[in-house]
Amino acid sequence: MHKPSRPWSHLFRCWLAAVVLALSGCGSAPSQRDADLKIATWNLEHLAEADGSGCRPRSEADYAALRRYADVLDADVIAFQEVESARAARRVFPADRYDIVFSERPDSGNRGYCRRGGPEAGLQIRRQSVGFAIRKGVPYTRHPDLREIALGNPDLRWGVDITVRGRQPLRLLALHLKSGCSTGDRNEACPTLFEQVPVLERWIDARRAEGADFALLGDWNRRMSLAGDAVWTSLSDDRALVDAAGGRSATCKQRYRDFIDHIVLGPAAAERLRPGSFEEFTYGVPEAEHPSDHCPIAVSLH
């Protein structure tokens, strides 16, 4: 005869469900995960290998919190940015659960002081690169990194290029463009950012010529959803690209209402987009307690 569940077991299950809901920052919905591929991008804000180093010094408890957030994000493929090394990435994406594909860009060796605290704080910038964390069991192929996006400048980041194989292959480019030109064209960094755009256009056009489904995802450092944005206008001209956010406003930081992290889909990939699947993962805690100055965004493709 089946015995009723003990009250404490029931309470524990309720508590666990509440914690997951609070961390995810979104309500429950019918899942299509068995058939979908969930892709995400996440700037991890100066993720260093060692405790207490880099521009955002962290403790083991901080890395553990990031691992828990990665569990709740529950993406199959995560493009990450601002990560010192593959070993640093492993502190958030453990080897028993994820494969890591890390940029081959050599370290420039530059070690300026972090803006946080200035020279008095003694914090020095660590290497910042991009890559992918890929859930174990998801088949993929790595292509040569898109080094051209660095324009020959050792301080600019390379793109990391993979194809996720499966029922329908998907080519993915992880990127982190030049900062300091989020709008307009007058800032000192804008000429550099605008030189990176044709490199992306050539990569996109090569994928279109191959007939590949593709997406570009990462920290674009550009508010491309603003009306008439020059970067988006150039990229999307006659290419039928889709910004997965679909015009939504960002909510990660109260002072910024426009995304600079984007998942841009080619036309064939856009046809695979699961309606309503775009997600901004806001950690479920006050902004001051966010573990990074960026929130992950994600979409699901069938």
Side-chain angles (χ1 to χ4, degrees), residues 171 173 175 200 203-204 214-218 220 262-265:
R171 189 81 172 254
L173 181 68
L175 53 83
L200 296 179
W203 187 90
I204 291 168
F214 65 88
L216 303 87
L217 63 171
W220 298 65
H262 300 275
I263 299 174
V264 173
L265 305 171

Side-chain angles (χ1 to χ4, degrees), residues 22-293:
L23 286 172
S24 65
C26 58
S28 60
S31 175
Q32 298 287 339
R33 290 303 309 282
D34 290 343
D36 288 354
L37 179 76
K38 185 175 182 180
I39 61 175
T41 180
W42 192 4
N43 183 317
L44 286 158
E45 191 187 1
H46 298 281
L47 188 78
E49 282 186 21
D51 290 5
S53 66
C55 292
R56 179 155 184 170
R58 292 177 168 95
S59 66
E60 169 51 31
D62 296 321
Y63 290 98
L66 286 168
R67 290 192 293 272
R68 290 193 295 271
Y69 286 123
D71 287 344
V72 180
L73 178 62
D74 195 28
D76 298 298
V77 182
I78 304 102
F80 55 74
Q81 304 86 45
E82 292 196 22
V83 174
E84 181 181 5
S85 64
R87 288 182 63 186
R90 285 268 176 243
R91 299 198 66 178
V92 178
F93 306 107
D96 63 338
R97 299 193 59 191
Y98 297 93
D99 292 327
I100 298 296
V101 178
F102 195 75
S103 170
E104 294 181 346
R105 175 177 75 106
D107 190 350
S108 69
N110 289 342
R111 288 290 180 268
Y113 285 107
C114 305
R115 285 180 292 180
R116 181 181 296 182
E120 297 80 10
L123 301 176
Q124 288 190 306
I125 295 173
R126 309 295 295 174
R127 176 181 179 180
Q128 296 181 46
S129 288
V130 305
F132 285 102
I134 305 167
R135 190 193 301 277
K136 288 287 188 183
V138 174
Y140 68 92
T141 300
R142 181 173 188 169
H143 307 287
D145 288 356
L146 186 66
R147 64 177 64 194
E148 295 84 359
I149 199 69
L151 308 174
N153 183 342
D155 290 327
L156 294 179
R157 293 155 287 244
W158 294 8
V160 176
D161 187 347
I162 66 172
T163 293
V164 177
R165 305 190 310 273
R167 290 184 310 166
Q168 201 166 350
L170 180 67
R171 189 81 172 254
L172 296 173
L173 181 68
L175 53 83
H176 188 177
L177 300 186
K178 173 66 176 174
S179 63
C181 184
S182 62
T183 61
D185 59 6
R186 297 178 181 271
N187 291 345
E188 182 180 352
C190 289
T192 300
L193 178 68
F194 291 157
E195 284 185 58
Q196 292 180 306
V197 173
V199 179
L200 296 179
E201 291 174 342
R202 290 192 289 273
W203 187 90
I204 291 168
D205 291 342
R207 305 292 77 76
R208 295 175 69 209
E210 296 166 354
D213 297 7
F214 65 88
L216 303 87
L217 63 171
D219 182 354
W220 298 65
N221 272 312
R222 186 74 181 181
R223 299 175 185 171
M224 294 195 299
S225 63
L226 295 179
D229 177 68
V231 171
W232 181 249
T233 298
S234 181
L235 278 175
S236 60
D237 183 38
D238 296 325
R239 294 185 177 92
L241 302 179
V242 172
D243 190 329
R248 296 172 182 82
S249 295
T251 63
C252 183
K253 288 186 168 292
Q254 188 173 10
R255 64 181 294 195
Y256 298 123
R257 308 306 296 173
D258 303 292
F259 287 104
I260 62 170
D261 302 286
H262 300 275
I263 299 174
V264 173
L265 305 171
E271 291 180 0
R272 296 167 55 183
L273 180 63
R274 180 71 60 186
S277 68
F278 178 83
E279 171 188 353
E280 183 187 29
F281 183 94
T282 54
Y283 303 112
V285 296
E287 184 178 318
E289 299 174 24
H290 284 186
S292 168
D293 59 355

